[in-house]
């Protein structure tokens, strides 16, 4: 895929691709991002597939401003002060996710928190505005490679699954955003150092804890535990036992079963995973039997997530 110059026509093509659930590469002031509609679980699954990540790491959703952010997260006054000081810009806020946010659960990797950033780059802002949805966008590199600061880096790294690569030259900052979590009760934790210095964050938020540091206070809002079903999970189950509900893949299961993908399409399966687990859990079944999922492509991340859900109760 060849990068294209940014103009009204290429921007509209990119926005249309996003609205259709496809992926584009967009410049931001930090690094280039691989962007898709954050509210569309299939688009989010395509991002993980294109990046070749072995796990569903949570993604940053890009919005225009604090107003939009408040639709998706419960922002403590400290989080609001940080946004007012550093947005638009290289700050990503991780905060408790609102139950009525339409950002796909897959974009948050099943966490009860959501990561939000209002970028400053005019092209990113134009694309968010034209697409009309929050854009989930990790750095536009394959997993394990360096973050791309030129459109050509993204083009070399990513395959033909990208609809449009918008080329706006080199990224002014060239370093990823600083990721800061602000819990429901206002505890501020540095999750990833980045383009905004810790001292600048602290000048607004006061002392910032390091993730995992022994002096970090524990608070309910800080526990980043993944959603785990109440039901026990039985993995690699080729059939459902008596009283078990069934999560199928490929061949249909017994009546009441949900099928992650009748076509054995791993992107479709990833898009359905969280919603289907919740649906089966809501039936009150004691055990959810899960069909074997192949370990190729996104299957690796799906199996990783299922293993955590099976163990994490
Ligand atoms: O500058 C940037 O942040 C770029 C541009 C494109 O915006 N994006 C970027 O995304 O670097 P990515 O996916 O490569 O890194 C996102 C970081 C990861 O370290 C991830 O673990 C963290 O943000 N993150 C996202 N959501 C989180 C959450 N709910 N809880 C904890 N960490 C989260
Ligand atoms: Mg990255």
């Amino acid at each position: 895929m060849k990068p294209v110059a940014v103009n009204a026509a290429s921007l509209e093509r990119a926005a249309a691709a996003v609205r259709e659930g496809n992926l584009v590469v967009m410049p931001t002031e930090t690094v280039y991002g691989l962007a898709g509609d954050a509210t569309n679980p299939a688009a989010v699954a395509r991002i993980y597939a294109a990046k070749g990540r072995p796990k569903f790491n949570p993604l940053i959703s890009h919005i225009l401003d604090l107003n939009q952010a408040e639709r998706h997260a419960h922002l403590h006054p400290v989080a609001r002060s940080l946004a007012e000081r550093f947005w638009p810009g290289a700050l990503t806020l991780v905060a408790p996710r609102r139950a009525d946010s339409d950002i796909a659960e897959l974009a948050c990797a099943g966490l009860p928190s959501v990561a939000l950033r209002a970028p400053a780059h005019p092209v990113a802002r134009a694309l968010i505005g034209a697409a009309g949805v929050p854009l989930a966008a990790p750095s536009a590199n394959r997993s394990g490679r360096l973050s791309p600061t030129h459109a050509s880096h993204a083009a070399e790294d990513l395959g033909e699954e990208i609809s449009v690569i918008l080329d706006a030259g080199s990224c002014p900052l060239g370093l990823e955003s600083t990721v800061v979590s602000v819990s429901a009760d206002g505890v501020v934790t540095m999750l990833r150092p980045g383009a905004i210095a810790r001292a600048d964050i602290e000048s607004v938020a006061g002392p910032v804890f390091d993730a995992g540091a022994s002096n970090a206070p524990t608070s309910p809002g800080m526990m980043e535990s993944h959603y785990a079903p109440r039901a026990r999970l039985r993995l690699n189950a080729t059939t459902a036992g008596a009283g078990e509900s069934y999560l199928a893949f490929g061949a249909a299961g017994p009546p009441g079963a949900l099928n992650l993908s009748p076509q054995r399409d791993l992107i479709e399966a990833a898009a359905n995973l969280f919603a289907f687990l919740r649906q089966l859990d809501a039936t009150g079944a004691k055990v959810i039997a899960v069909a074997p999922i192949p370990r190729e492509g996104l299957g690796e991340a799906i199996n990783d997530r299922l293993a955590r859900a099976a163990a994490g109760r």
Side-chain angles (χ1 to χ4, degrees), residues 194-206:
I196 296 175
R198 167 190 290 267
D200 292 332
I201 302 287
E202 289 188 330
S203 72
V204 174

Side-chain angles (χ1 to χ4, degrees), residues 44-59 106 109-110 143 226 233 235 260 266-267 269-271 273-274 277 290 293-310:
V44 175
R46 282 189 198 108
I47 293 176
Y48 289 116
K51 287 206 49 122
R53 282 184 169 171
K55 288 184 193 164
F56 296 130
N57 292 336
L59 306 178
L106 187 60
S143 181
H226 284 259
L233 255 57
L235 304 183
L260 285 172
L266 289 163
I267 291 180
L273 181 64
F274 289 103
L277 277 176
V290 184
I293 314 284
R295 284 177 186 277
E296 77 239 18
L298 273 191
E300 198 180 346
I302 294 172
N303 277 294
D304 170 78
R305 192 62 193 74
L306 285 169
R308 286 163 197 272

Side-chain angles (χ1 to χ4, degrees), residues 216-239:
T218 52
S219 90
M222 280 293 306
M223 288 196 291
E224 303 278 28
S225 72
H226 284 259
Y227 163 77
R230 267 180 316 231
R232 193 166 66 76
L233 255 57
R234 187 165 71 81
L235 304 183
N236 298 311
T238 47
T239 54

Side-chain angles (χ1 to χ4, degrees), residues 245-256:
S245 54
Y246 193 63
L247 188 58
F249 178 80

Side-chain angles (χ1 to χ4, degrees), residues 51 53 139 141 147 176 192:
K51 287 206 49 122
R53 282 184 169 171
S139 49
N141 52 285
S147 290
E176 295 96 334
R192 180 181 73 184

Side-chain angles (χ1 to χ4, degrees), residues 9-96:
S10 61
L11 259 175
E12 187 39 52
R13 248 190 324 124
V18 166
R19 288 192 295 266
E20 286 158 16
N22 294 316
L23 305 185
V24 304
V25 168
M26 69 168 177
T28 84
E29 72 276 32
T30 58
V31 299
Y32 276 81
L34 173 59
D37 178 355
T39 69
N40 177 341
V44 175
R46 282 189 198 108
I47 293 176
Y48 289 116
K51 287 206 49 122
R53 282 184 169 171
K55 288 184 193 164
F56 296 130
N57 292 336
L59 306 178
I60 299 168
S61 290
H62 296 73
I63 38 79
L64 285 176
D65 53 30
L66 182 53
N67 255 346
Q68 291 188 356
E70 306 238 40
R71 289 191 213 153
H72 303 288
H74 295 289
L75 295 181
H76 185 275
V78 170
R80 255 184 243 130
S81 306
L82 285 169
E84 276 160 7
R85 169 69 181 80
F86 296 111
W87 282 356
L91 170 72
T92 295
L93 283 174
V94 171

Side-chain angles (χ1 to χ4, degrees), residues 135-200:
L135 299 184
S139 49
N141 52 285
R142 280 190 70 79
S143 181
R145 308 262 186 94
L146 290 176
S147 290
T149 54
H150 290 270
S152 61
H153 300 166
E156 285 157 19
D157 234 26
L158 299 167
E160 292 303 314
E161 58 275 83
I162 314 305
S163 297
V164 181
I165 299 179
L166 294 171
D167 186 349
S170 62
C171 299
L173 297 176
L175 185 64
E176 295 96 334
S177 63
T178 301
V179 182
V180 168
S181 133
V182 182
S183 71
D185 44 6
V187 175
V188 183
T189 309
M190 177 72 72
L191 298 181
R192 180 181 73 184
I196 296 175
R198 167 190 290 267
D200 292 332

